[in-house]
Every structure is written in C-alpha cells, then in structure tokens.
Amino acid sequence: IATVHTQSTATGATTAKISSNPRYTTNSLAQKRVTILAINTIGFHSKINTSAPLTIHEPTAILTNIINAICNRERGVIDSFHGDHFVISFNAARANAQGPVKALRCAMDIVSDMPSIFSSSSSSVLFSMGVATGRACVGHLGTVGMKRLSIVGKVYSKAMALERICRQYGSSAAGKSSANRISTGR
C-alpha cells in the first residue's frame, strides 16, 4: 500500500512524496516546466568502422565531448547517451529558466561546432533532433537497488517522437548544412 502526500512550494510547484513498501525508496517528485532535446546522428556508424572496437572509441569520445561541452555551456544536462544518441534536459536536474531557447541554441551549436572529421567525406554525419517543452514530474525514482533522476511526462516522449519524425521526413534546416534537421514542439 502506497501513501501519497502532496504539498505546494513557495514557487508554486507541486511536490509529491510517496511512501510505500520498504523495498522501494521514498521519492520526491516536483512538477516543472522542462525542455528535452533528443539528438541522433545520421551516418555516424557508417563513417566509423563499428566492427573494430578500437576504432569506435575516439570518434565517439570526440562526439560526446563536443556535445557535453555545448550542453554545459547552455546549462543543460545529458540524461542519457547510447553511442550516438543523446537525451539532454533543461530545467530538470539544473535550473534553467530559458530552457527552450537554450535547447535550440544547444542544437544549433552542436551542428555548427562538429569538426570536419565527421563531415569531410561523402558519408558526412548529420543530426536529427527533436525539442519539446512541457510540464513533467521530475525527481528521483527507483528502488533500493537502483535510483536515478527521472523526468516523467509527455514532454520526454514528444521530444523522442519529434526526433524520429525529423529523421524520417525532415524539417526546418539548422546550422551550416540544410541536411541537418531540428523539429520542435510544445
């Protein structure tokens, strides 16, 4: 049996505290307006030899370092990455009142700051990106064995869906190349 206690903070955010079976952690969730930037590369794996582990590390490290530096500059947080796919949040783990603007600036800078190592040949690396802003519950969720900061709400799914639509159908041009696509939604 779980017990939910809600309370409004001075800033107007609603906080929910969930107490339940001892197997689960006590969680605090706050409802916030967050922005999610979902990024996927197009052509990254064909640019590097993915069958040789040693050839994957350097280009992946370069890609990750550039995205991380830009993300930090815009006060975003990389919530997850899997090789060449990144999810960045704004105003979730780190306060950022200008989340939508910062997310778009982050997306544009990622496209323009990529080194020529990724775009010098005919199989250049492009990006598809989805940006969504909306209300979500943000906080630590999990069990005693695993707990992490989570963003729970439609905004996360929307950003992922926009990135997939952008990849499949294209959208407005961004950055130096008209082939890079960013799709936005609310």
Side-chain angles (χ1 to χ4, degrees):
I1 296 175
T3 307
V4 178
H5 304 280
T6 60
Q7 155 185 351
S8 292
T9 64
T11 61
T14 303
T15 302
K17 193 162 184 118
I18 303 169
S19 303
S20 63
N21 191 314
R23 293 181 298 189
Y24 305 105
T25 60
T26 301
N27 302 303
S28 293
L29 296 175
Q31 194 173 76
K32 293 181 171 187
R33 183 173 182 257
V34 299
T35 300
I36 303 294
L37 168 59
I39 304 169
N40 203 356
T41 64
I42 303 169
F44 182 75
H45 293 293
S46 63
K47 186 87 167 162
I48 62 174
N49 180 1
T50 57
S51 64
L54 293 178
T55 63
I56 295 171
H57 186 267
E58 185 179 1
T60 303
I62 292 168
L63 177 71
T64 304
N65 282 335
I66 290 170
I67 290 176
N68 189 49
I70 294 168
C71 175
N72 283 330
R73 184 174 67 218
E74 299 301 333
R75 297 194 45 80
V77 174
I78 296 177
D79 288 317
S80 67
F81 81 96
H82 302 281
D84 66 341
H85 188 259
F86 297 80
V87 177
I88 301 171
S89 67
F90 297 83
N91 201 40
R94 180 190 282 177
N96 190 334
Q98 297 179 325
V101 171
K102 296 286 192 173
L104 288 173
R105 188 176 299 143
C106 185
M108 301 282 280
D109 289 350
I110 286 168
V111 171
S112 65
D113 288 1
M114 275 301 129
S116 60
I117 187 174
F118 295 124
S119 59
S120 60
S121 73
S122 60
S123 62
S124 63
V125 174
L126 303 174
F127 297 88
S128 63
M129 302 182 191
V131 179
T133 298
R135 305 287 294 168
C137 289
V138 179
H140 288 93
L141 293 174
T143 66
V144 174
M146 188 198 109
K147 183 171 146 180
R148 73 177 303 262
L149 180 73
S150 297
I151 301 165
V152 182
K154 292 180 182 178
V155 66
Y156 189 91
S157 300
K158 254 187 207 178
M160 301 301 265
L162 287 167
E163 182 276 317
R164 288 286 149 206
I165 290 168
C166 190
R167 182 180 178 100
Q168 187 169 359
Y169 299 110
S171 186
S172 60
K176 293 179 182 175
S177 170
S178 63
N180 285 293
R181 297 164 269 179
I182 301 172
S183 183
T184 61
R186 242 181 164 178

